[in-house]
Amino acid sequence: MKKVLALLLGLLLFLGSPLHVPGEENQFEDELYAASACLLDADSGRVLYGKAEEEALAMASTTKIMTCILALENTADPAGTVLTASREAASQPEVRLGVHAGQQFSMQDLLYALMLESYNDTAVMIAEGTAGSVEAFAELMNRKAEEIGCRDTHFVTPNGLDGSDAGGEHHTTAADLALMLRYCIRQSPKAEQFLEITGTSSYSFWDRELKNVYDCVNHNALLSMMEGTLSGKTGFTSKAGYCYVGAVQQGDRCLIVSLLACGWPDHRDYKWSDARKLLEYGFENYEYRDVFDRNFRGREIPVADGRYGDFPGEGSAFTTAEFGIPEEERSLRLLLRADEQVEIRYDLPETLEAPVSAGEEIGNVRYSLKGEELAVYPLYASSGVEKKDYFWCLRQLWKWYCGRQ
């Protein structure tokens, strides 16, 4: 009966009122339960909405998306890799698979247990099997976070249990957490395997001795609540509260939502309400537009001391700034709200100094939105211009003189 009531409460929250967005700036912080939230465009990595998205907070088991992707990237054959439970792994607190020291499992099976049931002991087994120790694996996690552009994230544990070391407390931000999932589903060479694991609704496996069978059920309720859900991970500790990160694909748009400190017991379903509000807002208000400036046909730029013609003082030298992209390939599709206007700025010099080589980069065009640079395209000289120096003038005068004789 308790499970039925909890499910009904979750559905009521999920089917609650749509997100109210006053004005153009979407200031609806008071309508979200989460202390920190981020809505990210999975393709460009642009933050579409944020609420305290740069605030450092505990992240609980959402940590495990990084554990999973690093294990996949550093294991050539997860199905054929056997991991043995250490005493440290066996001593991990709930939620746990219940391994005992010396027990063996396939790495692939443990990855499903990690992402579907969020078992803490499997996270330690995976970390030790990948890097040799939890500490060495945490170094891999922090290195990867820096590589993908996380700005305020520090990993101490592979399972998200609260901890600290010389580098600080285990934490991230909503913006960084969304970036991590973007890497997992879009940029990692193991993205396909990650999506296969995290999109699975249930999974069963045996230990290597074939003595025990284990059944796992995916706790990402968004898989059944929202069309197009690709992946996601829940989390909870008494410090972090309820957390969530998930990705949804609808048509040509893929959005990622991340939530930190989204309620404490007995409010475990707040995260589904917040996720729905943010994702529905994104899909209802953002569409792709091609903002590439096709009206630009090149710009002539004078070249000082440039050679023009065959006689000193004859005409003015110039070249033309143009794109190095074929016209049929010129496109810049961005996910934008109807009221958002992209600024286009051409950075080109008034004049150039000879010599100028054909194909030389002489400027660029910058696309930005509200001060945030979105794309930069170089512009190149269409033709070369030689320098009209003293010796060239003498040679031309001599040719002229000889031609008169």
Side-chain angles (χ1 to χ4, degrees):
M1 180 61 69
K2 288 183 179 179
K3 290 183 177 179
V4 172
L5 289 173
L7 178 60
L8 288 174
L9 176 59
L11 288 172
L12 286 172
L13 284 168
F14 186 79
L15 296 171
S17 59
L19 190 64
H20 174 62
V21 185
E24 298 179 352
E25 296 304 322
N26 320 319
Q27 300 302 320
F28 48 81
E29 283 86 349
D30 292 341
E31 298 184 29
L32 295 176
Y33 294 110
S36 177
C38 180
L39 182 68
L40 191 82
D41 173 18
D43 292 313
S44 70
R46 185 167 77 94
V47 173
L48 306 181
Y49 171 80
K51 173 186 177 182
E53 73 276 16
E54 301 289 350
E55 182 179 351
L57 294 168
M59 59 182 130
S61 286
T62 58
T63 295
K64 291 172 176 132
I65 64 171
M66 182 66 86
T67 302
C68 181
I69 202 65
L70 284 177
L72 288 171
E73 290 182 353
N74 288 276
T75 307
D77 179 20
T81 300
V82 177
L83 302 183
T84 303
S86 66
R87 282 195 173 91
E88 181 177 359
S91 67
Q92 294 300 300
E94 295 287 355
V95 175
R96 58 200 302 273
L97 181 64
V99 304
H100 57 77
Q103 194 174 10
Q104 294 186 322
F105 297 87
S106 156
M107 165 78 87
Q108 179 166 291
D109 291 338
L110 291 184
L111 288 173
Y112 278 93
L114 176 81
M115 299 307 291
L116 274 61
E117 289 285 355
S118 201
Y119 291 138
N120 292 318
D121 46 2
T122 61
V124 172
M125 287 185 67
I126 290 166
E128 292 175 337
T130 302
S133 70
V134 165
E135 293 75 19
F137 191 77
E139 290 181 13
L140 288 180
M141 299 173 86
N142 288 315
R143 194 178 309 140
K144 179 61 72 173
E146 184 177 355
E147 287 174 4
I148 65 179
C150 293
R151 300 169 67 178
D152 192 358
T153 293
H154 182 66
F155 290 104
V156 179
T157 66
N159 47 27
L161 293 176
D162 300 324
S164 62
D165 59 14
E169 293 187 345
H170 189 90
H171 73 269
T172 191
T173 68
D176 282 0
L177 184 58
L179 273 182
M180 283 185 250
L181 187 59
R182 179 188 182 226
Y183 175 79
C184 292
I185 69 170
R186 278 289 198 261
Q187 299 168 306
S188 170
K190 299 295 184 176
E192 184 177 349
Q193 292 93 321
F194 180 90
L195 285 167
E196 182 179 351
I197 292 170
T198 56
T200 297
S201 58
S202 62
Y203 186 82
S204 298
F205 63 95
W206 294 80
D207 59 12
R208 296 293 291 185
E209 293 81 15
L210 300 179
K211 293 180 179 179
N212 300 284
V213 65
Y214 302 88
D215 298 314
C216 300
V217 176
N218 200 324
H219 289 249
N220 180 16
L222 214 65
L223 284 169
S224 58
M225 286 181 171
M226 199 159 194
E227 180 185 354
T229 299
L230 300 176
S231 178
K233 185 71 190 73
T234 58
F236 174 81
T237 66
S238 58
K239 179 180 179 181
Y242 291 108
C243 304
Y244 179 70
V245 60
V248 177
Q249 176 91 39
Q250 292 187 0
D252 59 356
R253 297 164 296 170
C254 183
L255 302 181
I256 294 172
V257 63
S258 59
L259 307 165
L260 297 175
C262 192
W264 274 259
D266 296 313
H267 303 297
R268 64 188 309 154
D269 294 313
Y270 281 179
K271 58 184 177 288
W272 307 126
S273 174
D274 278 5
R276 169 184 173 267
K277 285 183 177 182
L278 285 171
L279 289 164
E280 285 192 347
Y281 159 71
F283 288 120
E284 288 171 4
N285 289 277
Y286 284 86
E287 298 285 349
Y288 273 106
R289 298 207 311 263
D290 192 341
V291 298
F292 201 97
D293 182 11
R294 288 184 173 76
N295 294 320
F296 181 79
R297 299 300 180 190
R299 185 177 301 174
E300 289 188 354
I301 301 178
V303 181
D305 296 324
R307 169 182 168 179
Y308 182 89
D310 294 324
F311 193 76
E314 181 180 12
S316 299
F318 64 89
T319 189
T320 303
E322 59 184 19
F323 288 110
I325 311 170
E327 190 163 355
E328 64 274 11
E329 296 178 15
R330 296 176 190 177
S331 177
L332 178 58
R333 295 178 73 249
L334 299 174
L335 203 57
L336 299 168
R337 283 200 322 267
D339 61 291
E340 289 182 321
Q341 296 300 320
V342 173
E343 178 187 349
I344 304 173
R345 189 180 80 243
Y346 286 87
D347 290 332
L348 287 166
E350 293 295 326
T351 60
L352 292 166
E353 291 289 331
V356 175
S357 301
E360 176 183 340
E361 186 175 334
I362 57 176
N364 56 63
V365 56
R366 297 177 181 273
Y367 292 79
S368 60
L369 180 65
K370 297 179 182 177
E372 178 187 354
E373 192 166 87
L374 304 176
V376 179
Y377 295 94
L379 296 169
Y380 303 95
S382 61
S383 56
V385 179
E386 295 180 21
K387 185 174 179 62
K388 186 167 58 178
D389 56 17
Y390 175 75
F391 295 104
W392 180 85
C393 291
L394 284 179
R395 286 196 300 273
Q396 300 311 112
L397 286 171
W398 177 252
K399 289 179 183 178
W400 177 79
Y401 175 78
C402 291
R404 302 264 304 181
Q405 301 302 313

